[in-house]
Amino acid sequence: MASRRALICLFTALILTLVAGPPPASAAAATTGPRFVDITSAGVVLKANVVAPAAPGRYPAAILPSSWGLNDVEYVAQARALAARGYVVVSYTPRGWWLSGGQIDTAGPADLADLSTVIDWTIANTDADPARIGAAGVSYGAGISLLGAGADPRIKAVAVLSGWSDLGYSLYGDATRHRQAADLLGIAAQAVGHPGADLTGKLADFAANRNIDQVLAWSRQRSAATYVDAINANQPAVLIANAWGDSFFPPNQLVDFFGRLTGPKRLELRPGDHAIAELTGLIGLSNEVWSSMYRWFDEYLAGTGGPAGPAVQIEPLNAAAEQYPDWAALTTTTRRYGLGAIRALDGTGLLGGAASSGWSKALPTDRDTVANGGVVLLTNGAAAFTGQRPWVWLPAVDRSRAGVWAAERPATVQRLRGIPRLHLDLTGTAATGTLIAYLYDLDLVGNASLITHAPVSWTGTTTGDRTLEVNLQATAYDLPAGHSLTLVTDTVDPLYYEENAPNRTVTVTGGSYLDVPLH
């Protein structure tokens, strides 16, 4: 235990050196801190730090819970920037992590009580104005902040950066267990946290595919979607910023939650993966996500900002930024692409026209292809920096293992905006199974860039024919003129646990179609 604590202290010092660095001269003159403090909540000591304006006065406050696996020094660069703008900033390490006491509560009741205690401490021990309290964070800190806005009416503004609204969906989206994301959460908890029996047991149940109802009930208690009425009653101003390719908290859950909010709100979506868009800001570099948060807090806490702007602001995967009055405005029309019979010549079917009948395509279980969603964090994360979408050479997709349907090549750009929806008719299915659907942009030489994807699973005791409705993850993508919109389905993707029985087949039949949202 002592050696582990020493290593944690050493690593904390290293993070502080890398993240903080010497502040700009203007910020150094205008702010104080970081000042490291202990805040006691229900007998548990939370490690925290304070950065504040140097001049006396009453200031709005920003409370920043740290991310999963990180600690309160995570936000030092952003705390200095906020303090220079006139905010008291209190960053803290949630219980169970690093040198904070207790066990990890995974944004449960104890974490929300801790957030309120940190607010109490901030009001009592700093120049914070009790009427102007905001909460923000990345990932875990975002989730705690959003949940806290429903539990504590003193929180007037929230910035949810790479957060979740439905933890159950994040774990079991489309009835499919998200394997790599959950594995990384468990590794981080064991490495730098104190997970305790609660979290350890739930992750073990998840991995073993048992006690699903109990894991989902535990997840609902930790989901802002469960408390949307309380959040709406408190009327905080809610900024949600996420990535199209977030492999921990996929964006469809946030689109639904955003639509249910009745107070001031904004949804921002950008290329990347979980917490990637915010990353450069954490080391003090210019960053649009953090700049957006400044403007949000200036508007709703400091009262110094201009109008917040349109409710939905997106950066498409391969186009310039766009703004919309609401989510529905992204999609002005929906085009249906029927899945046609597979041609013997090239093993590819037509994607387009009316859904045809009289054909079937058998997909073997336990047989992967080169089509996949990539590696959690890395694949979409790299794409955010390079601008190169994840891709495959479509001729390399084994047609004996996958279904492939390609659309005719349009003469003009097709602007995909929204949530593509796939209807699949299956025949002769086992009682349990999994399919993964990938939507690609296919160029003239066979390079297929991934636009979006989603898994879907079914469990139970019923065999035979069934219909699947699959919501692919929300996207914004310009399909160039002369390129083909291409759908690939198979039964294995390392991102997910799959429910297929070995040595079986999943058979897709005529009547299947894809609805594509366009603007």
Side-chain angles (χ1 to χ4, degrees):
M1 178 65 73
S3 61
R4 184 185 188 204
R5 179 176 290 270
L7 285 173
I8 287 176
C9 289
L10 179 62
F11 192 47
T12 300
L14 177 61
I15 291 177
L16 184 58
T17 301
L18 293 174
V19 170
S26 59
T31 65
T32 64
R35 173 170 60 94
F36 292 92
V37 299
D38 289 348
I39 301 175
T40 301
S41 177
V44 171
V45 174
L46 306 176
K47 296 298 180 177
N49 71 77
V50 182
V51 183
R58 279 294 189 188
Y59 297 100
I63 311 299
L64 309 180
S66 63
S67 301
W68 188 273
L70 297 179
N71 59 34
D72 56 286
V73 303
E74 172 188 10
Y75 301 122
V76 167
Q78 288 304 320
R80 288 178 167 178
L82 281 166
R85 297 175 73 93
Y87 292 84
V88 171
V89 185
V90 179
S91 308
Y92 74 96
T93 306
R95 63 173 55 220
W97 289 101
W98 292 76
L99 297 178
S100 284
Q103 296 179 339
I104 298 170
D105 192 43
T106 321
D111 273 324
L112 301 191
D114 290 346
L115 176 59
S116 290
T117 297
V118 173
I119 293 173
D120 293 340
W121 185 95
T122 301
I123 293 170
N125 294 277
T126 73
D127 290 331
D129 182 348
R132 295 185 291 166
I133 303 293
V138 176
S139 184
Y140 190 46
I144 290 174
S145 297
L146 183 56
L147 284 158
D152 195 323
R154 294 175 297 181
I155 297 175
K156 303 303 182 185
V158 185
V160 184
L161 313 181
S162 291
W164 75 92
S165 60
D166 186 336
L167 187 56
Y169 179 86
S170 302
L171 294 171
Y172 294 96
D174 299 295
T176 306
R177 290 175 294 151
H178 291 216
R179 180 176 192 164
Q180 289 185 13
D183 285 350
L184 278 183
L185 294 176
I187 290 169
Q190 293 294 337
V192 293
H194 306 279
D198 183 46
L199 176 59
T200 301
K202 294 300 185 295
L203 289 177
D205 285 345
F206 173 83
N209 205 22
R210 66 186 179 223
N211 299 325
I212 296 173
D213 288 345
Q214 294 178 27
V215 178
L216 286 173
W218 177 85
S219 300
R220 281 192 294 273
Q221 190 181 33
R222 292 158 169 81
S223 299
T226 303
Y227 309 104
V228 67
D229 290 343
I231 294 172
N232 285 335
N234 290 341
Q235 288 286 290
V238 179
L239 167 65
I240 300 173
N242 205 278
W244 297 109
D246 194 316
S247 51
F248 283 81
F249 307 133
N252 283 5
Q253 61 180 295
L254 299 171
V255 169
D256 177 72
F257 178 78
F258 179 77
R260 298 171 64 192
L261 292 173
T262 60
K265 60 183 180 179
R266 179 189 291 164
L267 175 64
E268 300 180 355
L269 290 168
R270 297 176 174 84
D273 205 316
H274 184 68
I276 296 299
E278 302 90 338
L279 185 60
T280 56
L282 291 176
I283 57 175
L285 300 179
S286 178
N287 182 280
E288 180 53 35
V289 180
W290 292 99
S291 295
S292 182
M293 188 197 79
Y294 302 158
R295 294 190 294 269
W296 193 254
F297 276 12
D298 286 351
E299 171 71 9
Y300 291 104
L301 292 179
T304 59
V312 176
Q313 303 188 14
I314 67 169
E315 182 181 334
L317 295 172
N318 62 343
E322 300 170 354
Q323 299 181 340
Y324 297 91
D326 53 40
W327 178 259
L330 270 73
T331 304
T332 56
T333 187
T334 299
R335 182 173 301 162
R336 178 160 294 180
Y337 292 78
L339 276 61
I342 302 295
R343 298 183 296 264
L345 180 64
D346 62 359
T348 301
L350 176 65
L351 182 65
S356 62
S357 59
W359 63 268
S360 64
K361 172 61 180 176
L363 308 174
T365 60
D366 298 332
R367 299 290 186 272
D368 200 2
T369 72
V370 295
N372 61 66
V375 178
V376 65
L377 288 180
L378 298 180
T379 302
N380 286 316
F385 290 108
T386 66
Q388 175 64 56
R389 297 294 305 149
W391 66 280
V392 298
W393 191 51
L394 196 70
V397 175
D398 188 337
R399 301 314 202 263
S400 70
R401 298 182 175 190
V404 180
W405 293 266
E408 294 180 351
R409 298 177 182 274
T412 59
V413 172
Q414 305 295 297
R415 302 178 65 217
L416 280 68
R417 300 291 187 274
I419 299 175
R421 305 181 193 277
L422 178 62
H423 171 99
L424 291 176
D425 288 335
L426 308 181
T427 189
T429 63
T432 65
T434 298
L435 279 177
I436 305 94
Y438 310 92
L439 192 60
Y440 286 103
D441 163 10
L442 176 65
D443 71 11
L444 292 172
V445 295
N447 297 312
S449 299
L450 185 62
I451 300 172
T452 184
H453 84 284
V456 62
S457 298
W458 61 94
T459 58
T461 58
T462 303
T463 60
D465 298 349
R466 70 181 70 239
T467 296
L468 301 179
E469 304 292 346
V470 188
N471 289 338
L472 278 67
Q473 287 303 317
T475 191
Y477 187 88
D478 286 0
L479 182 76
H483 286 210
S484 171
L485 191 66
T486 300
L487 176 71
V488 176
T489 61
D490 65 15
T491 62
V492 178
D493 190 312
L495 277 173
Y496 310 105
Y497 287 102
E498 43 96 2
E499 308 298 336
N500 294 310
N503 302 314
R504 299 288 296 270
T505 59
V506 178
T507 302
V508 181
T509 66
S512 301
Y513 57 84
L514 173 70
D515 284 340
V516 176
L518 300 170
H519 186 89

mmCIF file of all heavy atoms in Angstrom, residues 176-209:
data_model
loop_
_atom_site.group_PDB
_atom_site.id
_atom_site.type_symbol
_atom_site.label_atom_id
_atom_site.label_comp_id
_atom_site.label_asym_id
_atom_site.label_seq_id
_atom_site.Cartn_x
_atom_site.Cartn_y
_atom_site.Cartn_z
ATOM 1 N N THR A 176 -26.130 -5.092 -27.030
ATOM 2 C CA THR A 176 -24.803 -5.663 -27.275
ATOM 3 C C THR A 176 -23.819 -5.126 -26.251
ATOM 4 O O THR A 176 -23.724 -3.913 -26.047
ATOM 5 C CB THR A 176 -24.313 -5.307 -28.688
ATOM 6 O OG1 THR A 176 -25.302 -5.703 -29.639
ATOM 7 C CG2 THR A 176 -23.002 -5.998 -28.991
ATOM 8 N N ARG A 177 -23.096 -6.020 -25.619
ATOM 9 C CA ARG A 177 -22.134 -5.587 -24.611
ATOM 10 C C ARG A 177 -20.896 -4.976 -25.277
ATOM 11 O O ARG A 177 -20.303 -5.580 -26.163
ATOM 12 C CB ARG A 177 -21.733 -6.772 -23.729
ATOM 13 C CG ARG A 177 -22.834 -7.263 -22.812
ATOM 14 C CD ARG A 177 -22.418 -8.503 -22.059
ATOM 15 N NE ARG A 177 -22.230 -9.634 -22.954
ATOM 16 C CZ ARG A 177 -21.379 -10.642 -22.736
ATOM 17 N NH1 ARG A 177 -20.620 -10.635 -21.637
ATOM 18 N NH2 ARG A 177 -21.286 -11.636 -23.593
ATOM 19 N N HIS A 178 -20.522 -3.787 -24.803
ATOM 20 C CA HIS A 178 -19.390 -3.055 -25.370
ATOM 21 C C HIS A 178 -18.122 -3.480 -24.626
ATOM 22 O O HIS A 178 -17.791 -2.959 -23.561
ATOM 23 C CB HIS A 178 -19.644 -1.554 -25.262
ATOM 24 C CG HIS A 178 -20.754 -1.091 -26.157
ATOM 25 N ND1 HIS A 178 -20.740 0.119 -26.805
ATOM 26 C CD2 HIS A 178 -21.913 -1.690 -26.533
ATOM 27 C CE1 HIS A 178 -21.830 0.256 -27.533
ATOM 28 N NE2 HIS A 178 -22.559 -0.831 -27.373
ATOM 29 N N ARG A 179 -17.401 -4.392 -25.217
ATOM 30 C CA ARG A 179 -16.337 -5.123 -24.531
ATOM 31 C C ARG A 179 -15.108 -4.278 -24.227
ATOM 32 O O ARG A 179 -14.667 -4.186 -23.078
ATOM 33 C CB ARG A 179 -15.942 -6.330 -25.383
ATOM 34 C CG ARG A 179 -14.844 -7.175 -24.772
ATOM 35 C CD ARG A 179 -14.560 -8.405 -25.625
ATOM 36 N NE ARG A 179 -13.729 -9.359 -24.915
ATOM 37 C CZ ARG A 179 -13.587 -10.628 -25.287
ATOM 38 N NH1 ARG A 179 -14.232 -11.073 -26.359
ATOM 39 N NH2 ARG A 179 -12.808 -11.442 -24.599
ATOM 40 N N GLN A 180 -14.511 -3.686 -25.268
ATOM 41 C CA GLN A 180 -13.234 -2.993 -25.068
ATOM 42 C C GLN A 180 -13.379 -1.810 -24.124
ATOM 43 O O GLN A 180 -12.509 -1.577 -23.274
ATOM 44 C CB GLN A 180 -12.674 -2.533 -26.413
ATOM 45 C CG GLN A 180 -12.170 -3.656 -27.284
ATOM 46 C CD GLN A 180 -11.510 -3.142 -28.556
ATOM 47 O OE1 GLN A 180 -11.221 -1.955 -28.693
ATOM 48 N NE2 GLN A 180 -11.262 -4.037 -29.495
ATOM 49 N N ALA A 181 -14.470 -1.058 -24.249
ATOM 50 C CA ALA A 181 -14.669 0.100 -23.380
ATOM 51 C C ALA A 181 -14.764 -0.332 -21.920
ATOM 52 O O ALA A 181 -14.123 0.256 -21.036
ATOM 53 C CB ALA A 181 -15.917 0.866 -23.803
ATOM 54 N N ALA A 182 -15.572 -1.351 -21.640
ATOM 55 C CA ALA A 182 -15.724 -1.811 -20.261
ATOM 56 C C ALA A 182 -14.415 -2.378 -19.714
ATOM 57 O O ALA A 182 -14.082 -2.184 -18.532
ATOM 58 C CB ALA A 182 -16.836 -2.856 -20.186
ATOM 59 N N ASP A 183 -13.672 -3.071 -20.561
ATOM 60 C CA ASP A 183 -12.385 -3.617 -20.107
ATOM 61 C C ASP A 183 -11.437 -2.498 -19.676
ATOM 62 O O ASP A 183 -10.762 -2.608 -18.642
ATOM 63 C CB ASP A 183 -11.733 -4.430 -21.221
ATOM 64 C CG ASP A 183 -12.400 -5.784 -21.435
ATOM 65 O OD1 ASP A 183 -13.238 -6.175 -20.605
ATOM 66 O OD2 ASP A 183 -12.083 -6.443 -22.449
ATOM 67 N N LEU A 184 -11.378 -1.420 -20.451
ATOM 68 C CA LEU A 184 -10.490 -0.310 -20.101
ATOM 69 C C LEU A 184 -10.922 0.370 -18.803
ATOM 70 O O LEU A 184 -10.079 0.779 -17.999
ATOM 71 C CB LEU A 184 -10.435 0.700 -21.230
ATOM 72 C CG LEU A 184 -9.485 0.388 -22.386
ATOM 73 C CD1 LEU A 184 -9.483 1.521 -23.401
ATOM 74 C CD2 LEU A 184 -8.066 0.145 -21.884
ATOM 75 N N LEU A 185 -12.225 0.500 -18.598
ATOM 76 C CA LEU A 185 -12.710 1.081 -17.339
ATOM 77 C C LEU A 185 -12.246 0.245 -16.147
ATOM 78 O O LEU A 185 -11.808 0.783 -15.125
ATOM 79 C CB LEU A 185 -14.238 1.184 -17.364
ATOM 80 C CG LEU A 185 -14.843 2.153 -18.374
ATOM 81 C CD1 LEU A 185 -16.369 2.065 -18.347
ATOM 82 C CD2 LEU A 185 -14.396 3.580 -18.103
ATOM 83 N N GLY A 186 -12.347 -1.072 -16.289
ATOM 84 C CA GLY A 186 -11.917 -1.944 -15.201
ATOM 85 C C GLY A 186 -10.423 -1.890 -14.954
ATOM 86 O O GLY A 186 -9.971 -1.882 -13.802
ATOM 87 N N ILE A 187 -9.640 -1.827 -16.014
ATOM 88 C CA ILE A 187 -8.177 -1.750 -15.867
ATOM 89 C C ILE A 187 -7.775 -0.475 -15.128
ATOM 90 O O ILE A 187 -6.928 -0.493 -14.228
ATOM 91 C CB ILE A 187 -7.513 -1.821 -17.254
ATOM 92 C CG1 ILE A 187 -7.672 -3.231 -17.838
ATOM 93 C CG2 ILE A 187 -6.040 -1.442 -17.170
ATOM 94 C CD1 ILE A 187 -7.282 -3.330 -19.291
ATOM 95 N N ALA A 188 -8.386 0.651 -15.508
ATOM 96 C CA ALA A 188 -8.054 1.914 -14.851
ATOM 97 C C ALA A 188 -8.432 1.883 -13.376
ATOM 98 O O ALA A 188 -7.685 2.376 -12.513
ATOM 99 C CB ALA A 188 -8.761 3.069 -15.557
ATOM 100 N N ALA A 189 -9.595 1.303 -13.068
ATOM 101 C CA ALA A 189 -10.044 1.246 -11.674
ATOM 102 C C ALA A 189 -9.082 0.434 -10.818
ATOM 103 O O ALA A 189 -8.781 0.799 -9.675
ATOM 104 C CB ALA A 189 -11.452 0.665 -11.603
ATOM 105 N N GLN A 190 -8.595 -0.670 -11.355
ATOM 106 C CA GLN A 190 -7.659 -1.496 -10.591
ATOM 107 C C GLN A 190 -6.301 -0.828 -10.460
ATOM 108 O O GLN A 190 -5.617 -0.978 -9.446
ATOM 109 C CB GLN A 190 -7.508 -2.865 -11.275
ATOM 110 C CG GLN A 190 -8.761 -3.723 -11.246
ATOM 111 C CD GLN A 190 -9.146 -4.172 -9.844
ATOM 112 O OE1 GLN A 190 -8.304 -4.223 -8.930
ATOM 113 N NE2 GLN A 190 -10.419 -4.478 -9.641
ATOM 114 N N ALA A 191 -5.898 -0.056 -11.476
ATOM 115 C CA ALA A 191 -4.558 0.518 -11.480
ATOM 116 C C ALA A 191 -4.420 1.697 -10.528
ATOM 117 O O ALA A 191 -3.418 1.803 -9.799
ATOM 118 C CB ALA A 191 -4.180 0.943 -12.898
ATOM 119 N N VAL A 192 -5.368 2.619 -10.522
ATOM 120 C CA VAL A 192 -5.213 3.851 -9.750
ATOM 121 C C VAL A 192 -6.439 4.161 -8.891
ATOM 122 O O VAL A 192 -6.615 5.289 -8.445
ATOM 123 C CB VAL A 192 -4.909 5.059 -10.673
ATOM 124 C CG1 VAL A 192 -3.541 4.911 -11.316
ATOM 125 C CG2 VAL A 192 -5.989 5.227 -11.742
ATOM 126 N N GLY A 193 -7.261 3.162 -8.651
ATOM 127 C CA GLY A 193 -8.449 3.391 -7.842
ATOM 128 C C GLY A 193 -8.679 2.293 -6.821
ATOM 129 O O GLY A 193 -7.894 1.343 -6.700
ATOM 130 N N HIS A 194 -9.756 2.441 -6.089
ATOM 131 C CA HIS A 194 -10.191 1.461 -5.103
ATOM 132 C C HIS A 194 -11.618 1.064 -5.463
ATOM 133 O O HIS A 194 -12.586 1.645 -4.977
ATOM 134 C CB HIS A 194 -10.132 2.055 -3.696
ATOM 135 C CG HIS A 194 -8.794 2.641 -3.345
ATOM 136 N ND1 HIS A 194 -7.735 1.872 -2.916
ATOM 137 C CD2 HIS A 194 -8.328 3.912 -3.399
ATOM 138 C CE1 HIS A 194 -6.682 2.642 -2.710
ATOM 139 N NE2 HIS A 194 -7.013 3.885 -2.992
ATOM 140 N N PRO A 195 -11.784 0.076 -6.372
ATOM 141 C CA PRO A 195 -13.113 -0.201 -6.910
ATOM 142 C C PRO A 195 -14.093 -0.804 -5.920
ATOM 143 O O PRO A 195 -15.298 -0.567 -6.027
ATOM 144 C CB PRO A 195 -12.820 -1.162 -8.066
ATOM 145 C CG PRO A 195 -11.478 -1.748 -7.765
ATOM 146 C CD PRO A 195 -10.725 -0.692 -7.035
ATOM 147 N N GLY A 196 -13.632 -1.565 -4.975
ATOM 148 C CA GLY A 196 -14.552 -2.154 -4.015
ATOM 149 C C GLY A 196 -15.408 -3.237 -4.636
ATOM 150 O O GLY A 196 -15.371 -3.505 -5.845
ATOM 151 N N ALA A 197 -16.230 -3.848 -3.799
ATOM 152 C CA ALA A 197 -17.029 -4.993 -4.243
ATOM 153 C C ALA A 197 -18.124 -4.590 -5.216
ATOM 154 O O ALA A 197 -18.491 -5.370 -6.105
ATOM 155 C CB ALA A 197 -17.646 -5.693 -3.026
ATOM 156 N N ASP A 198 -18.656 -3.381 -5.068
ATOM 157 C CA ASP A 198 -19.777 -2.962 -5.910
ATOM 158 C C ASP A 198 -19.364 -2.897 -7.378
ATOM 159 O O ASP A 198 -19.923 -3.599 -8.237
ATOM 160 C CB ASP A 198 -20.303 -1.608 -5.443
ATOM 161 C CG ASP A 198 -21.517 -1.147 -6.239
ATOM 162 O OD1 ASP A 198 -22.429 -1.965 -6.450
ATOM 163 O OD2 ASP A 198 -21.543 0.028 -6.645
ATOM 164 N N LEU A 199 -18.387 -2.072 -7.697
ATOM 165 C CA LEU A 199 -17.957 -1.932 -9.079
ATOM 166 C C LEU A 199 -17.344 -3.223 -9.605
ATOM 167 O O LEU A 199 -17.642 -3.650 -10.732
ATOM 168 C CB LEU A 199 -16.950 -0.789 -9.202
ATOM 169 C CG LEU A 199 -16.340 -0.587 -10.597
ATOM 170 C CD1 LEU A 199 -17.423 -0.307 -11.625
ATOM 171 C CD2 LEU A 199 -15.308 0.538 -10.571
ATOM 172 N N THR A 200 -16.496 -3.862 -8.812
ATOM 173 C CA THR A 200 -15.869 -5.102 -9.246
ATOM 174 C C THR A 200 -16.911 -6.157 -9.581
ATOM 175 O O THR A 200 -16.813 -6.860 -10.601
ATOM 176 C CB THR A 200 -14.914 -5.627 -8.163
ATOM 177 O OG1 THR A 200 -13.914 -4.641 -7.886
ATOM 178 C CG2 THR A 200 -14.240 -6.916 -8.599
ATOM 179 N N GLY A 201 -17.935 -6.262 -8.751
ATOM 180 C CA GLY A 201 -18.992 -7.238 -8.985
ATOM 181 C C GLY A 201 -19.795 -6.939 -10.235
ATOM 182 O O GLY A 201 -20.124 -7.844 -11.015
ATOM 183 N N LYS A 202 -20.109 -5.655 -10.453
ATOM 184 C CA LYS A 202 -20.893 -5.290 -11.640
ATOM 185 C C LYS A 202 -20.098 -5.521 -12.913
ATOM 186 O O LYS A 202 -20.649 -6.000 -13.920
ATOM 187 C CB LYS A 202 -21.336 -3.833 -11.544
ATOM 188 C CG LYS A 202 -22.322 -3.555 -10.408
ATOM 189 C CD LYS A 202 -23.592 -4.359 -10.559
ATOM 190 C CE LYS A 202 -24.638 -4.021 -9.506
ATOM 191 N NZ LYS A 202 -24.195 -4.373 -8.143
ATOM 192 N N LEU A 203 -18.815 -5.202 -12.918
ATOM 193 C CA LEU A 203 -17.999 -5.454 -14.105
ATOM 194 C C LEU A 203 -17.840 -6.951 -14.354
ATOM 195 O O LEU A 203 -17.827 -7.399 -15.515
ATOM 196 C CB LEU A 203 -16.628 -4.796 -13.956
ATOM 197 C CG LEU A 203 -16.606 -3.265 -14.048
ATOM 198 C CD1 LEU A 203 -15.193 -2.738 -13.797
ATOM 199 C CD2 LEU A 203 -17.116 -2.780 -15.401
ATOM 200 N N ALA A 204 -17.741 -7.736 -13.290
ATOM 201 C CA ALA A 204 -17.662 -9.187 -13.456
ATOM 202 C C ALA A 204 -18.965 -9.743 -14.016
ATOM 203 O O ALA A 204 -18.952 -10.618 -14.895
ATOM 204 C CB ALA A 204 -17.326 -9.848 -12.121
ATOM 205 N N ASP A 205 -20.092 -9.247 -13.517
ATOM 206 C CA ASP A 205 -21.397 -9.674 -14.050
ATOM 207 C C ASP A 205 -21.517 -9.299 -15.527
ATOM 208 O O ASP A 205 -22.022 -10.084 -16.340
ATOM 209 C CB ASP A 205 -22.528 -9.028 -13.260
ATOM 210 C CG ASP A 205 -22.734 -9.651 -11.889
ATOM 211 O OD1 ASP A 205 -22.197 -10.753 -11.649
ATOM 212 O OD2 ASP A 205 -23.422 -9.020 -11.059
ATOM 213 N N PHE A 206 -21.069 -8.104 -15.865
ATOM 214 C CA PHE A 206 -21.129 -7.648 -17.256
ATOM 215 C C PHE A 206 -20.314 -8.571 -18.152
ATOM 216 O O PHE A 206 -20.779 -9.018 -19.209
ATOM 217 C CB PHE A 206 -20.609 -6.214 -17.337
ATOM 218 C CG PHE A 206 -20.468 -5.682 -18.734
ATOM 219 C CD1 PHE A 206 -21.564 -5.158 -19.398
ATOM 220 C CD2 PHE A 206 -19.240 -5.714 -19.382
ATOM 221 C CE1 PHE A 206 -21.441 -4.668 -20.694
ATOM 222 C CE2 PHE A 206 -19.102 -5.224 -20.672
ATOM 223 C CZ PHE A 206 -20.213 -4.710 -21.327
ATOM 224 N N ALA A 207 -19.085 -8.866 -17.740
ATOM 225 C CA ALA A 207 -18.219 -9.698 -18.559
ATOM 226 C C ALA A 207 -18.766 -11.113 -18.708
ATOM 227 O O ALA A 207 -18.646 -11.732 -19.770
ATOM 228 C CB ALA A 207 -16.814 -9.743 -17.965
ATOM 229 N N ALA A 208 -19.390 -11.627 -17.649
ATOM 230 C CA ALA A 208 -19.925 -12.990 -17.673
ATOM 231 C C ALA A 208 -21.333 -13.062 -18.263
ATOM 232 O O ALA A 208 -21.884 -14.158 -18.392
ATOM 233 C CB ALA A 208 -19.929 -13.561 -16.256
ATOM 234 N N ASN A 209 -21.903 -11.906 -18.597
ATOM 235 C CA ASN A 209 -23.253 -11.850 -19.163
ATOM 236 C C ASN A 209 -24.298 -12.456 -18.216
ATOM 237 O O ASN A 209 -25.189 -13.205 -18.632
ATOM 238 C CB ASN A 209 -23.313 -12.558 -20.521
ATOM 239 C CG ASN A 209 -24.441 -12.028 -21.385
ATOM 240 O OD1 ASN A 209 -24.930 -10.921 -21.190
ATOM 241 N ND2 ASN A 209 -24.881 -12.832 -22.345
#
